[in-house]
Each structure stands twice: as C-alpha cells, then as structure tokens.
Amino acid sequence: MIVLGISCHYHDSAACVVRDGRLLAAAEEERFTRRKHEDAFPREALNFCLQKAGVLFHQVDRVAFYEKPYLKFARSLFDHLEEFPLSLPHFLRVMPEWLGERLVLPEYLREEVMIEAPVSFVPHHLSHAAFSYFLSGYENAALLTLDGVGEWSTATRGIGRGGKITLDDEIRYPHSLGLFYSAIAEHLGFSAVGGEGKLMGLAAYGKPALVTELRKVLQAGSDGGFALDPAFFAFRRGRRMGSPRLAALLGAPRQKGEPLSRQ
C-alpha cells in the first residue's frame, strides 16, 4: 500500500510517501517556497516526494492527514462564541481560511492535484504518538504527547504495545503547555510560532527570577496534570496571546529588536 502523508494549514507544511510501512521520501514545503514555517498546502513538497519515490498520482492508495479538521473547526467556533464580542476581529481574520480549502481536503486533492485516493483524518495527538512510537524501535512503550492544541487535546498519555496505540488520558484546551510557552515567547519579543525554540535555547542563560509569578499563571496538579489561569491569556481576543494581566504580572512585553537581558 502506498500512503501519501500531508501536513498543512497551520505551520511547517510537509509531505511524505510511505510504501508498505517504509518511508520513501519526505520534505517540507518551506524548502521550495523559501518562506519560513510555510503553512500553505504543500504542493511542491508533494510533487517532489512522489517523484522521488517513483509514484504516480493514480498509484496513491490512501492519503493521511494529521488531524480531524471538522473537530478543530468546531473547537474554533466554540472558542470564538465564548469570547464574543472580543473575539470578533480574530474571527474575521481566520474564518476565510477555514471556509476555503481547510474543510474540503478530499475535494481539493481531486480537483487541484488529481489524487482521488480516500483520505484518513488521524487525530492530532495520535499522529504525534505514532511518529514517536513507530520510529522508536520499541515493541512496548509509554507514550506522552504535549503541544499547543490539536482538535481539543493539548496533552495525552497512553501505551504503545505490539504495534497498536492506546491513548488513555488527555488534557484539553485552553490548558496547554505549548500555548503557555508560545505566549511567553511572544511576551519576550519572539514570534508565537517559531520563537519557542529560541526561547528554549536562551533559557539556559536566564535566572529563575519570576518563578512565583509564573506559578500564578500555570499550576501543577497533584496527579501530574496542569492548568492555566485563563485570565492571563487572550488566545482569541486580540493580536497577542497574553492578556494585559500577564503584562502587569511579568512587566511590559519586550519589543522585537530590543536588547536581551538575563532577567
């Protein structure tokens, strides 16, 4: 079986081709468009992977996509309605994207790329878990995934055993370590998508001067879980992920290009 994998519409769009469980080719779209963190449909990466693998469009047996778009769309609608009317500017920015190609991937593939294979929409965190588990070399493994947000999940845990994955528990949006990290990166003058890696590298040079303050923002649970205080965030209410209350707690946001300090 030949499977075409596709990731797009958020950041770092990419494609890959797998035949009978063996990876034949993989590429990110930004390598062709020269736009960092490219989020558009990976047309160039898709074409490259199929050519590299020696596979014609009609030979693709199945397409795999890394999340369930309708569930993610439902979460986005729910989130905007809950924050209305403060969410209206953000709603007007993102809805044209959702009502374009995001919700019609099978039709888009048929009309634009001439691929008619059925599409499997894999839950976002199951995609993360599968990537780690199947490349680990372990028959049995404990699995933990953490990111910004998929459909609703922001963290999951489970078991990989005998080539099968079971995710038993989850933490749901808006409680997210990934979004917490993105908000802090943005507060420190980096981008919310891509700046997290810079923040991680710079962390080794900092001092734990705001631990008490950050414990008000992110609380650890006795069961190993965590929760964010939503008062410090504005994921759908403005152009910044942090709310004015976060700035009051941590100090004024660093502007892009300003000097970095150790504190």
Side-chain angles (χ1 to χ4, degrees), residues 210-219:
L210 296 173
V211 173
T212 300
E213 288 81 358
L214 288 175
R215 281 177 176 161
K216 298 176 182 178
V217 180
L218 173 66
Q219 298 91 35

Side-chain angles (χ1 to χ4, degrees), residues 100-122:
E101 63 187 64
R102 284 190 176 191
L103 295 177
V104 292
L105 181 63
E107 290 79 6
Y108 187 87
L109 285 169
R110 283 194 293 269
E111 295 178 6
E112 300 292 331
V113 194
M114 307 300 289
I115 293 179
E116 299 187 0
V119 180
S120 293
F121 295 99
V122 182

Side-chain angles (χ1 to χ4, degrees), residues 135-153:
L135 294 181
S136 71
Y138 292 106
E139 183 74 10
N140 302 317
L143 304 175
L144 175 68
T145 69
L146 296 158
D147 74 351
V149 60
E151 296 85 4
W152 280 97
S153 301

Side-chain angles (χ1 to χ4, degrees), residues 9 11 26 28 44 56 137 245:
H9 301 148
H11 63 79
E28 288 195 13
E44 300 299 328
L56 301 177
R245 187 171 175 181

Side-chain angles (χ1 to χ4, degrees), residues 207-237:
K207 297 179 180 179
L210 296 173
V211 173
T212 300
E213 288 81 358
L214 288 175
R215 281 177 176 161
K216 298 176 182 178
V217 180
L218 173 66
Q219 298 91 35
S222 58
D223 62 349
F226 57 86
L228 299 182
D229 184 337
F232 291 102
F233 300 94
F235 298 139
R236 301 294 185 191
R237 298 196 299 270

Side-chain angles (χ1 to χ4, degrees), residues 89-107:
H90 189 272
F91 178 85
L92 295 176
R93 285 198 305 273
V94 303
M95 278 304 112
E97 299 174 2
W98 273 112
L99 299 178
E101 63 187 64
R102 284 190 176 191
L103 295 177
V104 292
L105 181 63
E107 290 79 6

